[in-house]
Amino acid sequence: MNSFCLVLLSLSSLSQVVAFTISSTSTIKGRSTQELQTFLATPTNWPSIVASSFGVEEADATVGKKKEKINAVDRPLKKGERVKEIFGLPPLLPLAVTWTCQQNVVTKPNKKQGGGGCLEFFSADGLGGIAENCRMKFDISAVGDDTKVDMTVEIEPLNPIANLAPLVLKVDNDLALKVLLPLALKNA
């Protein structure tokens, strides 16, 4: 009887849709804050550090002063630029979020601080029908010769399926920051 009650309680909690925040932290050895921020701000690097990310595409066509097309995914995004990230299990479960860079600020080192930065992406539409108002923020700071990165992800679920996301995202983000990011930087 108790196990039946636990199953009912578990199922009822799936119907509650509540916004959530997930945080992950890592220290990257021997890399400057500028190197790390540039790497994280460049969308083509994302699939090498996020297990669930399969690729990135331009969300908007950009044309330079000489009328040449600029592919924003191959360089660090600037405030206001957008990128479409493809993840999930394509082609079976192709998911995508269009991120807008809200902040890419670098703090120069001085006598009191070793420098740092803040990188923030937002998607009001999020994942159609599943989640909205998705935010991904990286706070980057110097720790001696190393760099600390704090990643915060905020999501507003729209349906009960999205309530399963916190556990999956926590594992994915920890793997990204603690294992795949140092490996990708080593191979870059």
Side-chain angles (χ1 to χ4, degrees):
M1 182 69 167
N2 282 342
S3 60
F4 179 71
C5 290
L6 286 174
V7 168
L8 286 178
L9 184 61
S10 296
L11 291 174
S12 70
S13 70
L14 283 177
S15 66
Q16 299 171 0
V17 180
V18 178
F20 60 85
T21 301
I22 298 166
S23 298
S24 299
T25 300
S26 184
T27 299
I28 308 301
K29 304 284 184 197
R31 295 293 180 144
S32 71
T33 56
Q34 180 64 49
E35 284 177 289
L36 185 56
Q37 183 144 344
T38 298
F39 190 87
L40 291 172
T42 305
T44 50
N45 292 328
W46 297 355
S48 67
I49 62 171
V50 180
S52 63
S53 182
F54 285 90
V56 291
E57 298 175 356
E58 288 183 86
D60 305 306
T62 307
V63 179
K65 292 177 184 175
K66 297 179 182 178
K67 304 291 184 199
E68 78 279 8
K69 189 174 178 186
I70 299 170
N71 190 349
V73 300
D74 292 333
R75 61 171 174 71
L77 292 180
K78 298 174 186 170
K79 184 177 179 176
E81 293 182 326
R82 298 170 2 117
V83 65
K84 181 178 178 182
E85 180 181 17
I86 292 89
F87 62 100
L89 299 169
L92 299 173
L93 183 62
L95 304 172
V97 172
T98 299
W99 296 104
T100 300
C101 181
Q102 289 198 315
Q103 192 173 191
N104 187 350
V105 178
V106 176
T107 306
K108 301 286 184 197
N110 59 41
K111 292 180 182 178
K112 294 181 182 180
Q113 290 183 306
C118 183
L119 184 59
E120 187 172 350
F121 301 96
F122 181 74
S123 178
D125 296 336
L127 185 58
I130 296 175
E132 65 184 5
N133 296 322
C134 302
R135 184 175 309 279
M136 179 170 54
K137 184 175 181 183
F138 299 90
D139 288 308
I140 301 165
S141 58
V143 181
D145 291 335
D146 303 327
T147 299
K148 179 181 174 190
V149 59
D150 294 308
M151 178 184 186
T152 305
V153 174
E154 300 171 6
I155 294 176
E156 290 181 19
L158 294 176
N159 70 43
I161 293 171
N163 284 327
L164 301 174
L167 177 61
V168 174
L169 283 172
K170 177 65 176 162
V171 170
D172 197 36
N173 293 347
D174 282 347
L175 179 65
L177 289 187
K178 297 172 193 255
V179 178
L180 298 176
L181 177 59
L183 183 62
L185 286 165
K186 183 178 178 181
N187 293 331

